[in-house]
Structures are given as C-alpha cells and as structure tokens.
C-alpha cells in the first residue's frame, strides 16, 4: 500500500517543521508539501494532489476553512484534518460544517496526530470527530427527542420548536438537554454540525 501523501499547512515555521518531522518518522506517511498560507496551500495542493491536508485553522490570509472549501470543489479525493490550538466547540462545529474530516488540538500527542491523518486517508472516523453514526446516535432517543433533534439541526429556536410540536418552550429545553446527553455532545452547535454532516452524507450517497 502506498504511503499517505500529506500537505502540512501552518504559518509558524517551527510548528510546521515539527509536525513534518513527526509525520515523516511515521510508517505509511510521506510529507509531500508544506505551506504557510491559504494561497500557498491552494497552489501546492493543486500541484501535488495530497491524500490529506493537515491544516492550521487561523492563517495570515484567511482560515483553514478557506482551504477546505477549495479542496471540496477541486480535489474531492483529498481529506482535511484541522490541527489547531483553538480547541473549542464553535471552531470544531465550523470545521465540521465546512467539510473537515477530523479536528485535532495541537495539545494532542504525536501518535494522535498520525492516527488522525491515517484515519482520514482511509475514511475511518477519528475520535476527535463528532463521531456518532445515525443509528448509534439516535437509538436511545424518544420519538419526541428525535423530532427536537431534527428541528435543532435545521437551526430552529426553542420557541419555534415549541410552536411546531405544540409543547411548552421549557419542555423543549429539557428535551434538548436530554438529546445532548444521550448523544454525548455538550452544545447545541454540535447538534447542528452533526445534522449538517448527515445531510451531506445523504447527498453524497
């Protein structure tokens, strides 16, 4: 099996070189290009067509989300792993909605970074994803909770959901809390990201 070709994108040279060294030492991985900006990443990705782009989120001329958008349009076989120091739910949701294959914090160990790259290249779910399949995620939900899940995923407010389902707004809030707990999520934005992913998978399928 050929090595996984990786483009590393980070505007801090010391960090970028460190990441490249980690990947170059790993079995089955080859760093084929480096970039320090969105513009460089786009040009070099088009030239080398990597299997995986390991991308910082905040860059001098844009964000990793801009790189993801380009990849999704022009390099459908290339996967993107977001590697960033901004490990928060909003950043995670934004990366996932843009089409990132995984999200790894810079505080992760070397083995975790390598695993994320290999998992992305082979299409396996990585632990830093909101990694729940549809059946697994919704199996424990009640029928009402599933309707609430769908409505939250569509971006509706608790008040709108209450009017739609004919229940009290406080009851909707309780259902949302229960849905989050059962799905192993912490914030409402993660439900939206999950729903976006499911719609994207259905479209691709």
């Amino acid at each position: 099996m050929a090595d996984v070709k990786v483009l590393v994108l980070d505007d801090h040279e010391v960090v970028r070189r460190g990441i490249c060294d980690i990947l170059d030492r790993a079995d089955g991985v080859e760093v084929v290009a480096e970039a320090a900006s969105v513009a460089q990443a786009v040009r070099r990705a088009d030239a080398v067509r990597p299997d995986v782009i390991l991308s910082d989120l905040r860059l001098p001329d844009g964000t990793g989300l801009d790189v993801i958008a380009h990849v999704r349009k022009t390099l459908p076989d290339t996967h993107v792993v977001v590697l960033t120091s901004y490990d928060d739910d909003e950043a995670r949701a934004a990366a996932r909605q843009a089409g990132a294959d995984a999200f790894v914090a810079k505080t992760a160990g070397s083995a975790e970074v390598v695993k994320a790259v290999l998992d992305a290249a082979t299409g396996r779910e990585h632990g830093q994803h909101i990694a729940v399949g549809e059946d697994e995620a919704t199996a424990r939900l009640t029928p009402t909770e599933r309707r609430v899940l769908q409505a939250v995923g569509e971006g509706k407010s608790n008040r709108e959901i209450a009017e739609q389902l004919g229940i009290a707004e406080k009851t909707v809030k309780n259902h949302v809390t229960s849905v989050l707990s059962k799905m192993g999520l912490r914030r409402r934005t993660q439900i939206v990201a999950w729903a976006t992913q499911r719609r994207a998978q259905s479209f691709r399928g």
Side-chain angles (χ1 to χ4, degrees):
M1 180 178 175
D3 287 350
V4 174
K5 298 185 298 182
V6 183
L7 184 155
V8 177
L9 168 57
D10 196 295
D11 60 321
H12 294 95
E13 183 179 1
V14 173
V15 174
R16 188 174 69 250
R17 290 306 313 155
I19 295 169
C20 289
D21 288 343
I22 288 170
L23 295 175
D24 278 333
R25 290 197 302 267
D27 292 336
V29 179
E30 177 189 5
V31 176
V32 294
E34 299 178 35
S37 66
V38 172
Q40 283 184 355
V42 167
R43 289 196 304 269
R44 293 173 185 177
D46 287 345
V48 303
R49 306 186 73 85
D51 300 308
V52 177
I53 295 175
L54 186 60
S55 174
D56 194 6
L57 195 58
R58 299 195 179 184
L59 297 158
D61 59 342
T63 72
L65 305 184
D66 299 319
V67 176
I68 295 171
H70 175 79
V71 166
R72 291 292 165 261
K73 289 180 180 178
T74 64
L75 300 169
D77 295 328
T78 295
H79 304 275
V80 180
V81 175
V82 173
L83 179 65
T84 180
S85 56
Y86 300 93
D87 188 15
D88 61 78
D89 289 333
E90 285 74 18
R92 192 184 302 270
R96 191 54 183 266
Q97 288 179 27
D101 293 270
F103 186 105
V104 182
K106 286 184 177 177
T107 53
S110 300
E112 178 74 6
V113 174
V114 173
K115 185 178 186 301
V117 168
L118 293 174
D119 284 354
T122 57
R124 291 195 299 269
E125 288 283 354
H126 183 68
Q128 291 288 347
H129 274 166
I130 303 169
V132 284
E134 186 170 16
D135 293 337
E136 177 187 352
T138 62
R140 296 186 298 276
L141 302 184
T142 67
T144 299
E145 287 171 348
R146 293 186 187 193
R147 289 194 290 273
V148 169
L149 170 66
Q150 180 179 353
V152 171
E154 294 170 352
K156 294 180 179 177
S157 67
N158 285 354
R159 177 173 296 182
E160 291 171 328
I161 297 170
E163 293 175 354
Q164 176 182 320
L165 301 183
I167 57 180
E169 190 173 342
K170 183 177 179 181
T171 302
V172 173
K173 184 177 179 180
N174 291 338
H175 281 312
V176 171
T177 299
S178 180
V179 168
L180 288 170
S181 176
K182 290 180 179 181
M183 294 180 69
L185 306 177
R186 290 188 298 166
R187 296 190 182 184
R188 192 184 190 98
T189 53
Q190 291 178 296
I191 295 179
V192 177
W194 178 88
T196 300
Q197 180 207 5
R198 301 313 303 179
R199 287 195 291 271
Q201 289 180 340
S202 296
F203 177 78
R204 289 196 299 267

